[in-house]
Amino acid sequence: MYGALSSADADGAAHFDLEMLRALPAARLETTTAVTDGVRRFDGVLMRDLLAHVGAQGKTLTARALNDYAIEIAIEEFDRFDVLLAYEMDGEPLLPSDKGPLWIVYPRDRHAELQDIRFDYRWVWQLRWIEIR
């Protein structure tokens, strides 16, 4: 993660491995997705908690996947909704061969407005980095 952060290391970024993410307050979300069958259980950290941890000071973030897919997301969405940065699905680690190691997951079953395709594009799987602006 890099960009407008108050807690960055020497190169201006905040680097995380799975152990560091697991040390943050854990969260769980059960929801359907547009790309899997049935209700799935996701474990990870709330995006708003992660952003607070690094002192994010911007209004938007760009999430980029391993395949270079990128999308801009308004940070205020993470205050409105319990969006998860998931590292597990149904109790199993997310693997790069199947949406992992990290996946941005929205609570689509809790909010009818999140079932709109515009939000489906924000479910970045195989997340590689986040830039805060």
Side-chain angles (χ1 to χ4, degrees):
M1 183 175 304
Y2 67 96
L5 310 175
S6 64
S7 298
D9 58 21
D11 66 357
H15 298 276
F16 289 89
D17 61 20
L18 187 55
E19 183 178 316
M20 294 166 75
L21 288 173
R22 287 182 180 277
L24 296 174
R28 177 171 283 171
L29 171 62
E30 293 187 7
T31 192
T32 58
T33 81
V35 295
T36 60
D37 293 327
V39 174
R40 308 307 285 265
R41 186 185 81 227
F42 295 94
D43 290 287
V45 60
L46 290 173
M47 285 293 296
R48 67 173 158 263
D49 290 346
L50 178 62
L51 295 173
H53 182 76
V54 298
Q57 299 176 344
K59 298 221 181 275
T60 62
L61 66 75
T62 300
R64 184 172 301 273
L66 291 173
N67 67 357
D68 285 330
Y69 173 79
I71 191 159
E72 190 172 286
I73 303 171
I75 288 175
E76 68 92 24
E77 284 184 15
F78 305 128
D79 291 327
R80 287 180 50 215
F81 306 112
D82 292 336
V83 180
L84 198 68
L85 179 61
Y87 44 72
E88 287 185 4
M89 183 172 64
D90 297 331
E92 297 293 327
L94 286 165
L95 302 174
S97 59
D98 187 25
K99 312 286 188 275
L102 300 171
W103 189 359
I104 296 176
V105 176
Y106 279 75
R108 72 190 317 258
D109 292 352
R110 294 183 193 164
H111 306 275
E113 67 191 283
L114 295 179
Q115 296 174 21
D116 186 292
I117 194 167
R118 290 175 294 162
F119 285 95
D120 291 342
Y121 290 121
R122 298 173 192 166
W123 288 57
V124 180
W125 58 74
Q126 295 180 317
L127 182 67
R128 183 175 70 189
W129 56 256
I130 295 172
E131 177 184 8
I132 307 296
R133 287 184 269 144

